[in-house]
Amino acid sequence: MLGEVVHLFKKFIIMTDEEKLFIKLVKAKCKEHNVELILKKTKKIKLSEDIKVGGYFEEITKKKGRLVCAMKHPQYLSILVHEFSHMEQWVEQID
């Protein structure tokens, strides 16, 4: 099912209804579990001079996390799903 064109970071991206619903779920879950959600308008996220990634999840403290995704990456949705699963493991305290 084709979605509508949505405005994301001053750039138009075509998303399916399912993709929009998933992003809405991620936002709600992050808010519920005190996780800072950063959806960057880049293709990669620079962790250091030599390391660039499509996304990551990290524990800031036992009660605060951060989920980051490069939304211009060609596979941003897969990356977001992957990092969201790490967040869910952290919420459930599963290694």
Side-chain angles (χ1 to χ4, degrees):
M1 179 177 185
L2 282 180
E4 62 191 61
V5 176
V6 296
H7 191 258
L8 182 65
F9 306 120
K10 299 179 182 172
K11 176 90 175 173
F12 288 98
I13 296 175
I14 296 176
M15 288 187 190
T16 65
D17 293 338
E18 290 82 9
E19 289 169 334
K20 290 188 290 186
L21 187 61
F22 179 70
I23 290 171
K24 186 176 179 178
L25 169 74
V26 171
K27 288 178 179 180
K29 288 288 188 173
C30 284
K31 184 176 182 178
E32 177 183 349
H33 296 293
N34 198 28
V35 173
E36 177 184 16
L37 177 62
I38 302 172
L39 302 176
K40 294 190 65 98
K41 56 180 179 178
T42 60
K43 288 185 180 180
K44 295 277 184 175
I45 296 159
K46 186 176 181 180
L47 296 180
S48 70
E49 275 307 310
D50 300 330
I51 302 173
K52 295 181 179 100
V53 297
Y56 65 90
F57 174 79
E58 67 178 334
E59 176 182 88
I60 305 299
T61 68
K62 290 290 183 190
K63 295 187 177 188
K64 182 173 174 63
R66 179 179 296 131
L67 193 161
V68 183
C69 184
M71 297 301 284
K72 287 188 177 181
H73 190 286
Q75 297 172 343
Y76 79 90
L77 188 61
S78 295
I79 293 166
L80 185 57
V81 169
H82 177 85
E83 301 308 333
F84 181 69
S85 73
H86 287 303
M87 186 196 95
E88 289 288 286
Q89 290 173 331
W90 174 74
V91 166
E92 297 173 11
Q93 299 301 308
I94 298 172
D95 293 321

